Amino acid sequence: ILVVNNSNAGIVSNSTFPILAETNSNEIHYLIGSLKKPILAYGALSTNSAYKDRIYNNLSFSAFMKESDDLYAAFLLKEVMQNQQRKFGDVLESDLALPLTSTTEDSFFDKLPARATYSRPLDRNNEIYRNSIGQEKPYRFVDVVQWYARIASGKKLVLNFSGNEVAYNELSIDKISLRILKSSMNNVLSGTASVVGEALDRNGIEKADFIAKTGTAEHSSGKYNSSSSIILANREFTIGIMINGNVPENKRNLAAKNIMVRIIPILRKYNILR
């Protein structure tokens, strides 16, 4: 669990279990699943605000985020890479510290998709599809939470443990496009994270102020999930939860979003949520 103060990028809580003195679990690379989709959406809207009007797989942009539709993500990434590749890469690197490709740093792709990839079906055998849904590359959870803290705050925050006041530059995305992205991410609280939205309501917290996203990475065997995640954020704080291991199916109510439901009253008590 990571909790970040968005006013100064200070890490309020960095909690892991089991506790390993030699390892900070939030610094280990994990598959993040659909937590990557808003990063794709951010880059797309930053290159061309008209992407908000795209219909793929019979879904609108807002419905794509609410339901976390995989095929929509694949179509969106394919079109962006075909038409706005350089600008897409520049904005991801500048605003989210995520290069399009890199041999030394974490990046959106390990390498650019081969030309033939664009003419093949968008399914699990296609690297564009896998990258768009977060099944191709692992990331450090601390970096993922930083992406969301930047989107929530509108500033290029750099997470730290000092909590010192620093003047951070604003993101390059125009304010209207950022507002559209945040609105679509708020819809997640009545979609894949509806149990979290209901918990906010029960605790008297206005959910309209929040963005959220759930993420699940399926194990290669297809028999269980290898990670389950959720990030919930407003302008003040970003809260990220990831479970790594053999994660049961959602119907068992043991996913990251179910942990979020349990800790909302605690976060409210300490004025993280209000």
Side-chain angles (χ1 to χ4, degrees), residues 94-149:
S94 172
D95 285 3
L96 301 179
L98 184 69
L100 192 61
T101 61
S102 175
T103 57
T104 59
E105 304 173 70
D106 289 336
S107 55
F108 195 91
F109 292 101
D110 277 331
K111 58 182 177 61
L112 292 178
R115 182 176 299 180
T117 304
Y118 293 91
S119 60
R120 294 203 298 265
L122 289 174
D123 56 25
R124 291 184 179 275
N125 296 316
N126 189 309
E127 60 191 289
I128 293 175
Y129 179 96
R130 295 195 304 271
N131 271 283
S132 72
I133 68 171
Q135 288 289 134
E136 183 80 3
K137 281 182 60 57
Y139 297 94
R140 300 190 313 160
F141 194 54
V142 66
D143 293 331
V144 178
V145 173
Q146 180 172 279
W147 299 339
Y148 280 77

Side-chain angles (χ1 to χ4, degrees), residues 233-271:
N234 60 11
R235 289 194 65 85
E236 294 181 299
F237 290 95
T238 300
I239 304 111
I241 299 175
M242 170 173 275
I243 306 171
N244 182 61
N246 297 353
V247 185
E249 296 176 343
N250 272 341
K251 64 184 180 182
R252 296 274 301 278
N253 295 327
L254 294 171
K257 61 186 177 184
N258 303 109
I259 296 180
M260 183 70 80
V261 168
R262 297 292 294 272
I263 69 171
I264 282 175
I266 301 170
L267 295 170
R268 187 175 186 277
K269 176 180 178 181
Y270 290 102
N271 287 321

Side-chain angles (χ1 to χ4, degrees), residues 55-198:
I55 302 293
Y56 301 114
N57 200 27
N58 296 318
L59 293 172
S60 67
F61 181 86
S62 181
F64 151 57
M65 201 63 64
K66 179 180 178 180
E67 304 301 334
S68 197
D69 188 76
D70 290 347
L71 196 54
Y72 188 110
F75 277 118
L76 179 60
L77 180 56
K78 177 181 176 179
E79 183 173 344
V80 169
M81 288 294 292
Q82 286 179 316
N83 299 317
Q84 306 278 353
Q85 178 178 309
R86 177 172 293 181
K87 192 173 181 181
F88 179 65
D90 287 347
V91 75
L92 289 184
E93 184 162 13
S94 172
D95 285 3
L96 301 179
L98 184 69
L100 192 61
T101 61
S102 175
T103 57
T104 59
E105 304 173 70
D106 289 336
S107 55
F108 195 91
F109 292 101
D110 277 331
K111 58 182 177 61
L112 292 178
R115 182 176 299 180
T117 304
Y118 293 91
S119 60
R120 294 203 298 265
L122 289 174
D123 56 25
R124 291 184 179 275
N125 296 316
N126 189 309
E127 60 191 289
I128 293 175
Y129 179 96
R130 295 195 304 271
N131 271 283
S132 72
I133 68 171
Q135 288 289 134
E136 183 80 3
K137 281 182 60 57
Y139 297 94
R140 300 190 313 160
F141 194 54
V142 66
D143 293 331
V144 178
V145 173
Q146 180 172 279
W147 299 339
Y148 280 77
R150 290 187 175 196
I151 291 172
S153 67
K155 296 183 177 181
K156 300 180 183 181
L157 304 181
V158 179
L159 302 196
N160 62 83
F161 286 97
S162 68
N164 294 331
E165 295 300 325
V166 177
Y168 292 104
N169 293 329
E170 292 191 356
L171 300 177
S172 66
I173 189 173
D174 69 86
K175 288 182 169 50
I176 294 175
S177 293
L178 183 58
R179 188 162 62 246
I180 290 168
L181 176 61
K182 286 183 174 181
S183 176
S184 70
M185 293 174 70
N186 176 262
N187 289 338
V188 174
L189 292 170
S190 57
T192 59
S194 59
V195 293
V196 176
E198 293 162 2

Side-chain angles (χ1 to χ4, degrees), residues 36-51:
K36 195 171 180 179
K37 290 173 182 171
I39 309 312
L40 162 60
Y42 179 92
L45 289 177
S46 296
T47 62
N48 186 347
S49 62
Y51 281 117

